[in-house]
Amino acid sequence: MGKNLVFLPIVAVVIAIQLLTAWTGTIYYLTQLTMSAYYSLLIVGLCVVMGYAGQISIGHAGFFAIGGYLSAALTTRNLIPHADFLLVRLLNSLGCLQAGQDVYGDPLLVFTPWVACIIAILTTLIVAFILGVPVLKLKGHYLAMATLGFGIIIYRIVLASAYFGEADGISGVPGFMLVPGLLVSGDKAWRVPNYYIAWSVLLLAILLLRQLIDSRVGRALRAIHGSPEAAEAMGVDIATYKLKTFMLSAVFSALAGVLLTHYNGGIGPSEASVMKSVRYVAIVAVGGMANLWGALAMGMLLNFLSLRGLFGSYDDAVFGLILITIMLFAPNGILGLQLGRIWQGLPYFLRKKPVTKGVND
Amino acid sequence: MTILQVLQLSKRFGGLQAVDEVSFSLRQGMIKAVIGPNGAGKTTLFNLIAGMLAPTGGEIRFQGRAIQGMRPFRIAGLGIARTFQNIKMFTGMTALENVMVGRHSQSKSGFLASMLHTSGCRSEERAIRVRALELLDFLGIADCADTLATNLAFGQQRAVEMARALAMEPSLLLLDEPAAGLNIYETAEIGRLIVRIRELGITVLLVEHDMSLVMDISDEIVVLSFGQKIAEDIPTVIQQDPEVIKVYLGE
């Protein structure tokens, strides 16, 4: 339990930020912080895939989109025209559907958010499994290529199909009542609770991932990273471990998609774009790959700045630049740079003739 | 009782016959060595038994069960542990954690149990730690437990690798040149250690260059040359074998 004390200062900061925004009348910041927390949920999941299972996925926006789009479509697309189908009647009698009214006051029959969420998660699991099984048996960066292709397919599907709203995406997504009294919704009245809901989900996810890493499974994953041959000689089934990690992170991404879509009240095709996937990879790299706290810090910071519009029209370019810079100058991430060492190194750097060691000594 | 049987085992890499119809067997509880000049196919033979390579012909039977072509993690699960000629430590992990990975096939907590830290998972974790510490102690490197394995001295890394293999509670231990890179004192130490491992009831098959070590501790020796078995007998006979002398010293 003592290991989890590290969460206390973070919880304190989360509460302090909320109090600060209330005090200074800048409560609107909470909206972007809430959204950043959901993006960070995806990012910590991807962090385990990249940092611990040693695989690169350029398709996590695709899983985010599967979660977001399925829950959006299922909770908004009217089933009344199909109300006579046996399946619809069955779902209705099982309590999977709810009645309502659309913006014009016409009757509506849609899936409840909980059922939509479960369908979205299960779909994600199946897709991740189908994608991962053949790919993860191979060595090298085949997963990166396969997930890139997968991301493009998902993007084109949501852009091309009327069911998913084509270029407009889906709007008018209702709130998601997690439990009575806790509504995931972008409504102003729910801003503060939603900030805490998002952070609770995110910190719970990090807690679970930390416990995973600090266990038999996590040790096996780190061992695969350290020496795949030796890990396999110890009885670690490498392909299965990589697959399960990939599926786990896909579920995190889909859950982030579900919750953020209910929070925003809609989702658009840009959420499924490959540039989003590249952004997530860049953030995990900046955070230091096998570093959940780094992924959290960078996920919050960079998403917040991006959502506040700091990068303007150069948004995607900034993340591309970050990825290149990190790969060249700080492969261990920003936190791995140990900034103190730069200060120590500065006088040497400023010397006219740097002392170089000869090859022969 | 026979624990491992190698029958007419062959491995060809393109035009090179690395292992050529080699047969031998190991009785439970013995120490057997495979020797031969460089390129004789010793390490290939090892990799075939451990599942790192699939044979092009022949059979390997472990406790009566054909294991050739099985994936290494399955073979490990059956109770065959191995060490590597060029030590393969898990980088970024302490000596203790390295040995704890060795308990993998002896434990079973999966993804969900690990994430939730269920009580079963926690008690298993404690048992893993206790056993790993015991083994570090058995090998005399308990004080290195919390040092990053890659920062240890060469001989200590070799000991960690042994502890890691023993953590699997194997019935057969494959040692790939355990004395490589060690000085004569360390080699003698390793020799005593291998004998102690045998006393735990573990059968040992080793590939080794160091003749004095092999002659001291082995019950039987198999000699390979150009992929073929040219002799198999007890050490004193092998030392007198004209064929073996020819291979090692030239005519």
Side-chain angles (χ1 to χ4, degrees):
Chain A
M1 270 295 105
K3 288 179 196 157
N4 292 330
L5 286 176
V6 65
F7 281 92
L8 279 181
I10 294 177
V11 171
V13 169
V14 169
I15 293 170
I17 289 175
Q18 188 265 314
L19 294 177
L20 194 68
T21 56
W23 186 51
T24 55
T26 51
I27 190 170
Y28 49 84
Y29 280 128
L30 292 187
T31 302
Q32 287 88 36
L33 287 170
T34 305
M35 293 170 73
S36 300
Y38 287 132
Y39 284 126
S40 299
L41 174 61
L42 178 154
I43 287 161
V44 293
L46 184 60
C47 176
V48 175
V49 171
M50 285 174 58
Y52 293 94
Q55 301 286 306
I56 290 181
S57 164
I58 319 179
H60 266 53
F63 294 120
F64 182 94
I66 289 178
Y69 265 100
L70 271 183
S71 58
L74 292 174
T75 55
T76 56
R77 296 296 184 239
N78 199 347
L79 291 173
I80 283 182
H82 316 290
D84 294 335
F85 281 105
L86 184 63
L87 182 65
V88 175
R89 288 213 307 259
L90 187 69
L91 287 169
N92 203 1
S93 63
L94 287 173
C96 297
L97 306 179
Q98 65 184 16
Q101 281 187 334
D102 66 10
V103 282
Y104 308 108
D106 291 327
L108 203 58
L109 183 65
V110 293
F111 280 87
T112 65
W114 260 115
V115 174
C117 173
I118 290 165
I119 293 174
I121 300 285
L122 290 178
T123 309
T124 305
L125 270 177
I126 293 166
V127 172
F129 179 77
I130 293 171
L131 190 64
V133 161
V135 170
L136 290 165
K137 286 198 186 297
L138 303 168
K139 284 178 181 156
H141 287 304
Y142 292 95
L143 188 70
M145 306 308 281
T147 48
L148 177 63
F150 157 76
I152 293 170
I153 291 169
I154 296 292
Y155 180 58
R156 299 316 300 194
I157 287 175
V158 299
L159 206 54
S161 61
Y163 184 69
F164 292 122
E166 296 172 340
D168 294 333
I170 298 173
S171 55
V173 178
F176 182 175
M177 192 70 86
L178 291 174
V179 287
L182 277 184
L183 184 73
V184 175
S185 157
D187 195 285
K188 276 205 182 82
W190 285 94
R191 205 180 244 160
V192 174
N194 268 275
Y195 172 76
Y196 284 111
I197 291 172
W199 270 102
S200 306
V201 173
L202 175 58
L203 290 180
L204 180 66
I206 292 176
L207 175 72
L208 294 179
L209 291 179
R210 272 171 56 89
Q211 295 191 339
L212 179 74
I213 290 163
D214 184 28
S215 70
R216 169 178 180 266
V217 172
R219 248 191 331 268
L221 287 172
R222 285 153 62 203
I224 292 172
H225 217 34
S227 168
E229 295 98 336
E232 199 159 25
M234 301 288 118
V236 178
D237 180 356
I238 295 182
T240 304
Y241 267 71
K242 285 182 176 172
L243 177 66
K244 285 185 176 172
T245 311
F246 180 63
M247 289 170 71
L248 178 70
S249 78
V251 166
F252 274 39
S253 306
L255 184 64
V258 169
L259 294 174
L260 188 54
T261 299
H262 284 289
Y263 182 68
N264 284 343
I267 185 169
S270 71
E271 291 296 350
S273 72
V274 172
M275 275 318 297
K276 278 276 171 152
S277 294
V278 172
R279 162 181 306 202
Y280 302 139
V281 170
I283 291 174
V284 173
V286 183
M289 292 288 193
N291 187 338
L292 281 176
W293 297 123
L296 173 68
M298 292 301 141
M300 286 308 296
L301 179 71
L302 293 174
N303 276 304
F304 180 74
L305 295 179
S306 167
L307 289 166
R308 290 300 301 174
L310 196 82
F311 306 138
S313 313
Y314 298 107
D315 211 24
D316 287 338
V318 167
F319 283 98
L321 185 67
I322 287 174
L323 192 56
I324 295 170
T325 315
I326 284 296
M327 289 302 152
L328 283 177
F329 300 112
N332 292 322
I334 289 278
L335 301 183
L337 267 182
Q338 296 175 314
L339 292 172
R341 290 225 317 250
I342 293 182
W343 287 114
Q344 286 167 19
L346 214 56
Y348 296 97
F349 184 72
L350 294 173
R351 276 185 194 168
K352 264 191 175 176
K353 268 190 187 173
V355 181
T356 50
K357 276 191 178 173
V359 191
N360 298 324
D361 57 34
Chain B
M1 195 190 97
T2 306
I3 184 164
L4 184 81
Q5 254 184 310
V6 174
L7 299 164
Q8 315 253 288
L9 193 67
S10 298
K11 176 69 185 179
R12 189 171 29 241
F13 297 107
L16 174 75
Q17 189 74 45
V19 175
D20 192 4
E21 305 213 335
V22 170
S23 302
F24 62 89
S25 61
L26 264 78
R27 288 185 314 278
Q28 179 103 45
M30 78 186 306
I31 297 176
K32 191 154 193 160
V34 179
I35 63 169
N38 281 328
K42 305 183 297 288
T43 294
T44 305
L45 177 69
F46 245 50
N47 286 334
L48 289 169
I49 298 172
M52 306 279 181
L53 293 170
T56 42
E59 222 181 324
I60 306 166
R61 300 187 78 81
F62 176 65
Q63 294 175 331
R65 178 173 178 179
I67 60 164
Q68 73 275 9
M70 267 191 193
R71 301 283 303 281
F73 76 90
R74 292 219 182 284
I75 290 176
L78 294 176
I80 300 183
R82 71 165 296 176
T83 63
F84 294 87
Q85 187 179 333
N86 44 348
I87 299 173
K88 291 183 192 296
M89 289 285 104
F90 299 126
T91 49
M93 298 172 83
T94 64
L96 178 65
E97 286 177 313
N98 262 272
V99 181
M100 287 170 81
V101 175
R103 298 299 293 168
H104 188 87
S105 51
Q106 297 289 319
S107 46
K108 57 183 195 313
S109 296
F111 272 71
L112 276 181
S114 294
M115 283 207 292
L116 300 173
H117 262 210
T118 57
S119 65
C121 171
R122 285 201 303 271
S123 63
E124 192 176 79
E125 189 72 13
R126 275 193 295 276
I128 289 173
R129 183 174 293 271
V130 166
R131 182 69 184 132
L133 281 168
E134 268 172 28
L135 285 163
L136 284 175
D137 196 42
F138 176 73
L139 289 170
I141 46 168
D143 49 333
C144 304
D146 295 321
T147 312
L148 276 184
T150 42
N151 290 351
L152 291 172
F154 195 73
Q156 291 171 323
Q157 290 195 16
R158 192 129 260 166
V160 172
E161 210 185 26
M162 290 265 208
R164 199 170 69 178
L166 290 177
M168 296 165 66
E169 314 292 339
S171 21
L172 174 63
L173 178 60
L174 308 175
L175 300 173
D176 195 353
E177 298 208 20
L182 301 183
N183 62 34
I184 51 168
Y185 305 106
E186 291 169 327
T187 301
E189 187 64 36
I190 282 282
R192 282 193 290 276
L193 181 62
I194 294 171
V195 172
R196 273 167 72 205
I197 288 172
R198 188 249 303 267
E199 282 161 8
L200 298 173
I202 298 170
T203 313
V204 177
L205 178 65
L206 73 150
V207 163
E208 186 50 69
H209 268 305
D210 190 293
M211 278 305 142
S212 60
L213 174 67
V214 169
M215 295 299 165
D216 276 355
I217 64 168
S218 310
D219 297 314
E220 281 176 16
I221 296 174
V222 172
V223 188
L224 293 185
S225 176
F226 294 107
Q228 288 176 324
K229 184 175 92 173
I230 59 167
E232 178 180 11
D233 219 317
I234 57 171
T236 44
V237 177
I238 290 290
Q239 275 172 317
Q240 311 298 324
D241 190 306
E243 183 90 7
V244 176
I245 294 169
K246 198 176 87 186
V247 164
Y248 265 90
L249 300 176
E251 282 177 273

